[in-house]
Amino acid sequence: RQAENKALKREIRRRDHRGGERPVGVARSFLEVLELAETVAPTDSTVLLSGESGTGKEVLARYIHSLSDRSDALFLSINCGALPESLLESELFGHVKGSFTGAVKDKKGLLEAATGGTLFLDEVGEMTPATQVKLLRALQEREVIPVGSTQAVPVDARIIAATNRELEEEIRKGGFRSDLYYRLNVIALHLPPLRDRKDDVPLLADHFLRALGTRAGREAPELTEEAAEILKRYDWPEEPMAS
């Protein structure tokens, strides 16, 4: 009966998307990605999202989580390029009291905290080789060893990773481990840039205007046809990648 209930809840979420707001877009290239995401969402498969900065990778990750059997549990996220190695390892794997200066108490890592739910690893290509090794072990063994501890802790978080880098090129250059790449790249979804989905630009602009209006407690301003055409004509260049 429990399995039947899960299947029924999943089908309801897939049909009316009440599990989460469906990402905005009508471009064929984007809808193909969205439909594949909806197909794999109910599984526990690891997903690797690729695409330029700003293409909506975290939005899609949250949507996948909302359609999964884990939707009642936590969705946690971390930007792997925003933290130094030692802090990133502490955030991911946790630490025990006294393991380093400032560790005044035990701290649960995100992999453990997301057990039963989903952990989104943004910009996973920015991880150092040492952290890559530890993440690979955590994914293989389904357990983590907090910083400063020798005791393994079991984890059960679904991983959705994202990158704006070409990880296969990073592998060739020695910057990313091939074994971790294949562990993450079970389901690969590539989000197209806005310049390849120009018809979606006015829809997205209208969506954000309505969201801002709701937040401000006032009627949302309308996008004029002239403004919509200007936005569609913009070339939406790729953001230069930081060195």
Side-chain angles (χ1 to χ4, degrees):
R1 179 172 294 275
Q2 186 175 8
E4 290 175 357
N5 288 342
K6 279 189 174 183
L8 180 59
K9 286 171 66 179
R10 182 189 310 146
E11 185 61 25
I12 290 171
R13 286 194 296 265
R14 284 171 60 81
R15 287 189 179 186
D16 63 15
H17 308 298
R18 283 188 305 204
E21 185 177 0
R22 198 173 199 236
V24 175
V26 295
R28 184 70 249 167
S29 59
F30 180 71
L31 289 179
E32 288 173 355
V33 174
L34 206 55
E35 288 162 6
L36 181 54
E38 289 168 354
T39 299
V40 303
T43 73
D44 260 351
S45 296
T46 302
V47 179
L48 179 62
L49 306 178
S50 62
E52 297 172 12
S53 296
T55 50
K57 295 186 288 293
E58 182 163 356
V59 171
L60 185 59
R62 289 182 180 275
Y63 183 58
I64 290 171
H65 170 73
S66 75
L67 294 179
S68 74
D69 290 337
R70 295 171 175 262
S71 61
D72 291 335
L74 291 175
F75 175 96
L76 300 178
S77 65
I78 187 169
N79 187 322
C80 300
L83 300 173
E85 179 182 72
S86 58
L87 185 54
L88 178 60
E89 290 189 1
S90 173
E91 288 295 312
L92 286 174
F93 311 119
H95 65 251
V96 297
K97 179 180 177 180
S99 56
F100 54 86
T101 303
V104 296
K105 61 179 180 179
D106 292 356
K107 179 182 178 181
K108 185 184 295 186
L110 291 176
L111 279 160
E112 182 183 357
T115 287
T118 303
L119 177 60
F120 176 59
L121 302 174
D122 198 8
E123 301 306 345
V124 71
E126 305 298 323
M127 277 187 178
T128 64
T131 307
Q132 290 177 36
V133 171
K134 293 181 179 180
L135 176 61
L136 176 64
R137 183 192 178 282
L139 297 180
Q140 289 176 333
E141 306 299 330
R142 311 291 292 180
E143 64 182 26
V144 296
I145 299 178
V147 177
S149 175
T150 57
Q151 185 68 41
V153 178
V155 296
D156 175 29
R158 184 193 194 165
I159 302 298
I160 302 179
T163 181
N164 64 0
R165 292 183 177 271
E166 295 289 344
L167 289 187
E168 292 184 356
E169 177 62 25
E170 294 297 319
I171 291 170
R172 284 191 287 272
K173 294 191 298 187
F176 201 81
R177 295 182 63 95
S178 60
D179 46 7
L180 178 57
Y181 172 73
Y182 292 118
R183 178 69 63 167
L184 294 173
N185 195 41
V186 177
I187 303 293
L189 298 176
H190 180 75
L191 281 83
L194 274 181
R195 60 182 170 274
D196 292 342
R197 41 183 298 213
K198 290 292 185 73
D199 288 340
D200 287 348
V201 173
L203 297 176
L204 287 162
D206 182 65
H207 169 77
F208 292 130
L209 285 172
R210 283 188 284 108
L212 287 170
T214 299
R215 191 179 305 167
R218 55 189 295 182
E219 188 175 347
E222 291 188 9
L223 191 69
T224 65
E225 290 186 14
E226 181 183 9
E229 283 302 315
I230 291 172
L231 288 173
K232 287 174 70 173
R233 288 199 301 270
Y234 185 64
D235 58 1
W236 301 101
E238 180 178 1
E239 179 181 321
M241 191 174 295
S243 58

